[in-house]
């Protein structure tokens, strides 16, 4: 996976050809549990509170995480398809080679997370929390991110393609080299110094100038 505009070359998850279904999480998920080379399909994971859980080489398909906090989780070679991740708390997570495809992720908490080679494709991350997250080799494609909080986040070789960023908060984020030209950015919260080196379309430049208090003469 690559994006020539940002040199955002992303390595996909390395999943085995065959995965065994994980047994139901009847006993719950406990801190420091480790799950490797399995899949979860059509399940609901409810009311779980655990730290430092590890999922490696895992496929989640149509899984709903409800009232669940898995702080400092580590996800390596993991794929989420059509999952319900609304209000899932995975703050402080470490994600490496992870794909989120068509997921409902309204209010997801990735504050302070580290993301490497991660793709969000067709997801709804409205009101999501990415504050002080460290993103490198990450792509958001056709995602809804209105009012998402990226304050203080670090973006390196990250692509935002055709995303809705209206009212998103990006104050203190480092956007040098980030292409926002095909995103909706009305009402974005940002400082002038944060925009240094960012790539925007001409019409966006006018809107941003007005946001900064400049008077643009027509």
């Amino acid at each position: 996976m690559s994006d020539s505009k940002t040199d955002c070359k992303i390595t996909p998850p390395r999943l085995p050809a065959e995965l065994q279904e994980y047994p139901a999480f009847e006993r719950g998920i406990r801190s420091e549990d480790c799950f490797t080379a399995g899949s979860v399909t059509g399940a609901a994971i409810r009311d779980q509170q655990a730290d430092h859980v590890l999922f490696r080489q895992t496929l989640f398909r149509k899984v709903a995480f409800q009232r669940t906090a898995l702080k400092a989780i580590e996800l390596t070679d993991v794929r989420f398809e059509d999952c319900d991740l609304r209000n899932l708390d995975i703050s402080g997570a470490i994600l490496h080679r992870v794909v989120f495809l068509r997921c409902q992720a309204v209010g997801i908490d990735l504050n302070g997370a580290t993301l490497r080679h991660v793709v969000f494709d067709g997801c709804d991350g409205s009101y999501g929390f990415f504050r002080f997250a460290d993103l490198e080799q990450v792509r958001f494609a056709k995602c809804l991110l209105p009012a998402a909080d990226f304050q203080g986040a670090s973006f390196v070789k990250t692509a935002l393609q055709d995303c809705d960023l209206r009212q998103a908060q990006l104050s203190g984020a480092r956007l040098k080299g980030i292409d926002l030209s095909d995103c909706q950015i009305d009402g974005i919260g940002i400082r002038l110094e944060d925009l240094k080196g960012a790539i925007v379309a001409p019409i966006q430049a006018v809107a941003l100038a007005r946001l900064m208090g400049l008077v643009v003469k027509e």
Side-chain angles (χ1 to χ4, degrees):
M1 303 176 182
S2 66
D3 175 7
S4 59
K5 292 191 296 183
T6 60
D7 192 27
C8 184
K9 298 177 181 177
I10 297 177
T11 303
R14 297 167 181 168
L15 292 171
E18 295 185 7
L19 292 169
Q20 293 187 343
E21 189 78 10
Y22 285 135
F25 295 101
E26 293 177 355
R27 69 169 179 81
I29 299 174
R30 299 171 182 170
S31 293
E32 300 186 3
D33 272 351
C34 179
F35 302 92
T36 302
S39 65
V40 186
T41 304
I45 298 175
R46 300 187 180 95
D47 301 308
Q48 300 298 305
Q49 307 285 328
D51 299 336
H52 301 286
V53 177
L54 169 64
F55 282 97
R56 183 183 291 119
Q57 292 185 320
T58 301
L59 170 63
F60 292 97
R61 181 178 287 133
K62 297 183 178 179
V63 175
F65 291 81
Q66 300 171 352
R67 302 179 298 278
T68 290
L70 300 173
K71 296 183 179 181
I73 192 173
E74 183 175 339
L75 302 170
T76 300
D77 295 313
V78 175
R79 185 175 176 90
F80 294 86
E81 297 180 2
D82 303 298
C83 291
D84 185 348
L85 311 176
R86 287 177 290 181
N87 300 312
L88 175 64
D89 183 352
I90 49 174
S91 53
I94 298 175
L95 283 65
H96 192 200
R97 295 191 299 273
V98 177
V99 169
F100 297 88
L101 179 63
R102 299 184 303 271
C103 291
Q104 292 295 321
V106 175
I108 192 170
D109 190 341
L110 278 158
N111 282 340
T114 300
L115 289 75
R116 297 289 185 271
H117 296 274
V118 176
V119 173
F120 296 85
D121 189 347
C123 296
D124 185 352
S126 306
Y127 304 98
F129 296 95
F130 299 85
R131 186 173 289 200
F132 299 108
D134 181 358
L135 298 88
E136 185 171 341
Q137 307 292 137
V138 176
R139 182 168 71 237
F140 295 86
K142 298 184 182 301
C143 289
L144 298 175
L145 296 165
D149 187 351
F150 288 94
Q151 292 187 66
S154 173
F155 294 90
V156 177
K157 294 183 179 179
T158 292
L160 290 156
Q161 301 173 332
D162 194 17
C163 291
D164 183 348
L165 288 163
R166 289 176 291 183
Q167 304 295 325
Q169 293 299 317
L170 286 153
S171 179
R174 291 183 284 174
L175 296 175
K176 183 178 180 179
I178 303 302
D179 190 341
L180 302 172
S181 61
D182 58 1
C183 295
Q184 299 177 62
I185 60 171
D186 299 345
I188 199 170
I190 201 164
R191 303 176 306 180
L192 185 60
E193 55 265 38
D194 302 325
L195 284 168
K196 186 176 181 179
I199 302 165
V200 297
I203 192 169
Q204 292 174 319
V206 172
L208 288 168
R210 288 175 174 150
L211 187 64
M212 302 300 175
L214 298 178
V215 177
V216 180
K217 188 175 181 179
E218 300 293 343

